[in-house]
Amino acid sequence: MPQGLPPGRLVAPDPDYFDDPTWSRDVLWVSDGSVPDAAARWLRLYEARAETGLHPLLLDTLDGEPERPWRAGELSPAPVGTIDVLSADGVLRRFWDDVALPEDGDWPGLAEAGESARDADDAARSLAESLAGDRDWSLGLVPAGRGADALALAGWDGPCNHTNHTQEISAVLRSWEDRFGARVVAVGFATLMVSVAAPPVTAEHAVRVAAEHFAFCPDNWVDHSTLEDYAETILKADHWSFWWD
C-alpha cells in the first residue's frame, strides 16, 4: 500500500451478502472514517496510480449508516473479463428497451465523441478539488487500471435496482472515458460523479448524450420531462452526476 495513508482497512465482500465460496480476496482499501483532507490525498494518489496500480475514489456512505456499503463489505465484485465481453452500445440498447416508452422510439445509438475542451486528468483533479467542502468523504483504493473498472472490481452495487451487474455500468463508463474524457472521481451508496473533459457543446449532440444518460440512469429523470430538457443540464458541463433509487 502507498505510504502516508490515513488509518484504514482492507475489505473483502461479506459472505452473507456475496455468496461466492470461490472468492477469498480483498477488493479495496477504505479509510476507517471520513478524511478531512480526502480531496488532497485523492489528488496525490491519483498522480501515483500508474505506479501503484491503485485507483483512488472519494467515497460516500449511506445516510445514518457510515459502515455501508464499503466498510461493511456490502459488495459484489466482478472480474475485468466480465467487462471485456460487453459493449457500451449493447448495454445501453438493452437498458433503453427496458425503460423507454413507445413514443421514445428505438435506441438511437451511441453519440459521437466530444471534442476535448481540456486534459481529462486536469478535469478529474478540478472535480476532486471542488468536492472537498461538499461533504465528509472517505477515501478508497481499488486495484484497477482505470476508474471505470474500479466500480465492478470493488463490487459496488449502487445501481442494483436498475442492473444487478455493475460490469454493465463499467462497460458504459469505459466508453465515456474514451469518447468524453470522463473519469470516475466520487462514488456513494447509490450515487456516482464523473468529471468530463469533452462534453457536448451543441444542443443536438447533448440530446444524443442525454439518451445515453436516460438508459444508463433513468432515476436522473425525476426533474426532467424530455431529452431536450435534460440535455440543457449537460451542455458544456464539466461533470456528470447520477443517482439510482
Side-chain angles (χ1 to χ4, degrees):
M1 298 298 291
Q3 298 295 314
L5 291 176
R9 70 191 83 165
L10 293 170
V11 178
D14 183 339
D16 290 336
Y17 186 82
F18 180 61
D19 187 18
D20 183 349
T22 67
W23 196 279
S24 60
R25 63 183 185 273
D26 301 316
V27 293
L28 81 160
W29 174 93
V30 61
S31 60
D32 284 339
S34 60
V35 180
D37 58 346
R41 290 179 181 268
W42 183 94
L43 289 167
R44 291 195 293 271
L45 292 166
Y46 189 75
E47 299 300 331
R49 68 195 185 283
E51 178 183 347
T52 65
L54 299 170
H55 197 284
L57 298 171
L58 293 176
L59 299 178
D60 200 6
T61 58
L62 181 64
D63 289 344
E65 298 186 61
E67 296 299 294
R68 298 179 63 193
W70 315 105
R71 288 179 278 272
E74 196 173 323
L75 306 164
S76 303
V80 166
T82 63
I83 311 171
D84 294 339
V85 299
L86 299 171
S87 72
D89 184 68
V91 169
L92 290 171
R93 180 184 300 274
R94 184 181 70 76
F95 286 170
W96 178 273
D97 289 343
D98 285 344
V99 302
L101 298 174
E103 56 265 33
D104 294 322
D106 295 333
W107 164 238
L110 296 181
E112 63 274 20
E115 295 184 10
S116 295
R118 62 190 304 190
D119 178 79
D121 291 335
D122 283 346
R125 296 181 191 104
S126 293
L127 178 58
E129 290 171 342
S130 72
L131 292 172
D134 183 52
R135 67 193 68 188
D136 294 329
W137 296 100
S138 295
L139 189 65
L141 287 169
V142 183
R146 55 198 296 179
D149 295 0
L151 301 182
L153 291 170
W156 177 60
D157 278 336
C160 65
N161 290 332
H162 183 48
T163 174
N164 286 317
H165 306 291
T166 303
Q167 57 265 40
E168 294 183 320
I169 298 297
S170 291
V172 175
L173 287 169
R174 280 183 175 185
S175 181
W176 287 354
E177 286 177 345
D178 296 339
R179 285 184 292 139
F180 306 113
R183 298 292 184 265
V184 174
V185 175
V187 191
F189 186 81
T191 58
L192 172 66
M193 190 172 294
V194 302
S195 59
V196 182
V201 296
T202 68
E204 181 181 4
H205 191 199
V207 170
R208 291 291 304 277
V209 177
E212 296 192 29
H213 283 209
F214 176 53
F216 182 77
C217 183
D219 292 320
N220 262 24
W221 242 252
V222 170
D223 298 320
H224 308 284
S225 58
T226 66
L227 290 180
E228 289 77 12
D229 181 34
Y230 181 90
E232 292 180 3
T233 70
I234 60 172
L235 189 66
K236 301 182 181 180
D238 59 6
H239 69 277
W240 297 337
S241 299
F242 304 95
W243 72 275
W244 290 264
D245 196 0

